[in-house]
Amino acid sequence: QVQLVESGGGPVQAGGSLRLSCATSGRMFGNNVMGWYRQAPGKQRELVASITFSGDRTDYADSAKGRFTISRDNSKGTVYLQMNSLKPEDTAVYYCNSKQSGPFRAYDEWGQGIQVTVSS
């Protein structure tokens, strides 16, 4: 089981940058995939970016490509989302997610979420 705590959110003006961090604790398996999701008011939660345990594969939503970068430092147990050129439509609650399979079951765990507000 993995516990996740997000930080680094807050208000920012359009065109600005933020770096979200997700501190993890607990056991990670080699098939772990970490993701950042977001949910805007009245909308469904959507995947923003994901990264494999080794970092050899990253995937991005079209809206994030070229502006956001996901990375992870397994020695620190932390996953990052660097967000540049922010737009008002990036305003949402951002959630860190961990997906992995252990010897007996699969795990799908979430952080509590953190607000990002981009003003025009």
Side-chain angles (χ1 to χ4, degrees):
Q1 232 170 333
V2 174
Q3 290 75 47
L4 309 172
V5 179
E6 301 98 337
S7 62
V12 64
Q13 289 194 329
S17 298
L18 281 176
R19 188 176 81 157
L20 303 183
S21 298
C22 175
T24 73
S25 59
R27 184 177 180 183
M28 287 273 186
F29 297 102
N31 57 26
N32 175 271
V33 176
M34 295 295 300
W36 284 99
Y37 289 72
R38 69 186 182 187
Q39 187 167 19
K43 295 189 177 180
Q44 289 192 330
R45 191 173 297 188
E46 63 176 358
L47 176 65
V48 176
S50 64
I51 186 168
T52 54
F53 181 79
S54 65
D56 61 341
R57 176 171 175 167
T58 56
D59 290 293
Y60 295 91
D62 287 344
S63 59
K65 288 178 182 176
R67 300 189 299 126
F68 295 2
T69 302
I70 189 170
S71 61
R72 66 191 295 167
D73 184 340
N74 290 333
S75 67
K76 295 181 179 179
T78 304
V79 181
Y80 305 98
L81 184 68
Q82 178 67 44
M83 305 188 292
N84 299 327
S85 303
L86 283 161
K87 305 175 182 179
E89 51 264 43
D90 294 318
T91 295
V93 177
Y94 284 71
Y95 297 89
C96 183
N97 172 261
S98 169
K99 289 184 173 56
Q100 59 184 7
S101 295
F104 305 110
R105 55 162 288 190
Y107 297 89
D108 188 358
E109 288 149 323
W110 296 87
Q112 81 285 357
I114 192 162
Q115 179 71 44
V116 171
T117 302
V118 184
S119 59
S120 57

